[in-house]
Every structure is written in structure tokens, then in C-alpha cells.
Amino acid sequence: MFKIFIIEDDKQLVSLLKEHLHKFGYDTKSVENFETVRSQFEHYEPHLVLLDVNLPKFDGYYWCRQIRGISTCPILFISAREGKMDQVMALENGADDYITKPFDYEIVTAKINSQLRRAYGTYASSQNERITSVEGLTLDVERLSLSLSEQEIDLSHTEAKILDELMKKSERVVSRDRLLEKIWDDQAFVDDNTLNVYVTRVRKKLAALNIDDALQTIRGQGYRLVPNWGNRE
């Protein structure tokens, strides 16, 4: 049975979510003490998290980062905030999707099912596929780290997703639509500028490993990662 951890301070909404999810056979747990969200998460060990932005003590972005430090389980934000930057911040802090309130419970369930399939079911990667390496550049998706030689840097969840796709298709063009699909199930919420921001940040992370000009923009098509770091003198 899949376990859903609900981090939401609206008790009525929590009750309705639990009632709906129980109909589909999910086990649920909601937060009661908003000062100990991480420890409750570790104790419950959920398969997926539903997380609001506006919370007592610390906001949802903070708790998303805390969870990402110890887990790669799917995190879906549920929030009344509709601004583009709120959604960008959610993704940048490690979220997998963003659902605005008020929402249709059937849509929430469909998105939960989709994320669970990707993480644990039909579309899940095997453990051997969690590490991708190209010409000595190694991406550890579980640990959210990128290393080359003896250098290692940390990545955000979104940066890791983008690099995973680019490295698996090294020297081939990856379309913008494909990258958007990897970042977020519902592309309607993501515009071109959002992807540009992520790609810029990935380039900065590569530059931190002294990798320059490897991530190329192919106008009108997408992006290509060229392993030019393999021939260093």
C-alpha cells in the first residue's frame, strides 16, 4: 500500500484529501506539529508528499528542501498561490509538480498515480540507472550530486533531472518539450523562460567543475551536451 504524507494546515482540506485518497486504497498521514515535519517524514517513510506553500513556522519551500536532503520521493505542491515564480520556486526547491487550489480531486489523484508509476511502477528506473556517467562526468540522481575527477557539487532536483536526460543522450539533441516533460508532468504551467532559467543554472553547475561550452543550444530544436571535458591536457 502506497503511503501519502500530507503537509497542509487546512484541517478541512486535509480531511477531504484523506477521505478521497482512502477510496483509492492509499494510506495517509498528515502533519500535526509543524516544527517537526522532517522527523515525522522520516518516521512515516511515505512514497509521496502533498505539500502546501503557506505553513506555520516554515514555508513549504523550506520543508521541500529538507525532504530532498534525505529522499527522492515525489513531492507535489498544492497551493492557492498561482504566480509563475511560486511554481518556479517549487520546482527549483525539488518539487515534481504544482497543483493550484481550488483543484479537482480526480486530477490530484491522477497526478499522484502518475508520479507513483514513475517513481515505483511501470516507468521507474532501476537502481543501476540511478548513476549516469559520460567521459568521467558522473551524475548520482539519488544523492543529487555531479562529480568530475575529485570535484563534486550538489544539484537541485530539477537540475539533476535535466542533466540525467542530457547525459543519457550525450551528443544528441534533446528537445525542449522532452526536457519540460522531465521537469513537470503538466507542461501548461511551464513557459520557455522557465526552462531557460533551469538551463542557465545547469551551465553554472558545469562551470563549477570547469566544464565550459559543453551544453549547447540548438536553435529551434533544443539542447545538446557535448563531452568536451574528456580531452583535457
Side-chain angles (χ1 to χ4, degrees):
M1 179 183 293
F2 286 115
K3 297 188 290 186
I4 312 297
F5 190 42
I6 304 172
I7 309 174
E8 164 68 65
D9 62 339
D10 183 332
K11 293 183 178 180
Q12 181 178 5
L13 178 58
V14 169
S15 178
L16 290 171
L17 279 169
K18 284 185 172 183
E19 180 182 352
H20 186 79
L21 293 173
H22 290 168
K23 292 178 181 178
F24 290 86
Y26 293 119
D27 184 66
T28 64
K29 176 179 174 58
S30 58
V31 173
E32 293 182 0
N33 184 345
F34 287 91
E35 294 183 348
T36 60
V37 171
R38 174 168 166 161
S39 62
Q40 291 174 72
F41 172 89
E42 291 180 287
H43 183 265
Y44 184 50
E45 296 183 339
H47 296 93
L48 181 142
V49 174
L50 293 177
L51 175 61
D52 193 8
V53 175
N54 296 322
L55 296 169
K57 303 297 181 181
F58 300 99
D59 64 23
Y61 305 130
Y62 172 83
W63 289 120
C64 188
R65 292 193 301 272
Q66 293 296 305
I67 293 170
R68 276 289 164 254
I70 56 176
S71 174
T72 58
C73 80
I75 299 176
L76 279 65
F77 269 84
I78 48 173
S79 175
R81 295 189 184 184
E82 298 180 352
K84 180 174 69 177
M85 286 311 300
D86 291 307
Q87 298 171 36
V88 170
M89 286 179 63
L91 288 173
E92 188 57 31
N93 280 284
D96 295 279
D97 207 340
Y98 192 104
I99 306 168
T100 56
K101 302 174 184 176
F103 48 72
D104 187 300
Y105 288 91
E106 297 298 329
I107 291 178
V108 173
T109 303
K111 286 179 176 288
I112 288 173
N113 290 338
S114 174
Q115 291 294 336
L116 290 174
R117 283 196 302 270
R118 288 189 173 203
Y120 312 105
T122 308
Y123 309 122
S125 299
S126 69
Q127 289 299 313
N128 292 332
E129 296 174 324
R130 303 308 289 171
I131 294 179
T132 305
S133 186
V134 177
E135 297 288 344
L137 181 67
T138 301
L139 169 67
D140 190 323
V141 178
E142 288 289 340
R143 294 178 55 244
L144 297 177
S145 68
L146 186 69
S147 61
L148 180 65
S149 299
E150 297 183 357
Q151 293 179 284
E152 182 176 288
I153 58 172
D154 295 328
L155 302 170
S156 72
H157 196 60
T158 303
E159 291 164 352
K161 284 183 177 180
I162 291 174
L163 276 166
D164 187 42
E165 190 69 17
L166 290 168
M167 290 174 67
K168 285 179 177 177
K169 298 182 178 179
S170 177
E171 298 192 74
R172 289 177 286 170
V173 176
V174 180
S175 70
R176 293 177 65 89
D177 285 345
R178 175 59 180 167
L179 288 178
L180 287 171
E181 180 184 342
K182 291 291 289 185
I183 294 171
W184 215 343
D185 279 345
D186 191 345
Q187 297 181 37
F189 288 102
V190 187
D191 60 18
D192 284 345
N193 185 61
T194 303
L195 182 57
N196 292 341
V197 170
Y198 294 142
V199 169
T200 297
R201 291 176 179 173
V202 168
R203 285 195 171 107
K204 288 181 179 178
K205 291 297 176 72
L206 291 171
L209 296 175
N210 298 314
I211 298 175
D212 299 308
D213 304 320
L215 180 46
Q216 302 176 351
T217 300
I218 309 301
R219 190 177 297 276
Q221 298 182 51
Y223 300 95
R224 177 173 60 199
L225 186 68
V226 179
N228 59 9
W229 58 88
N231 299 317
R232 292 178 176 174
E233 296 182 359

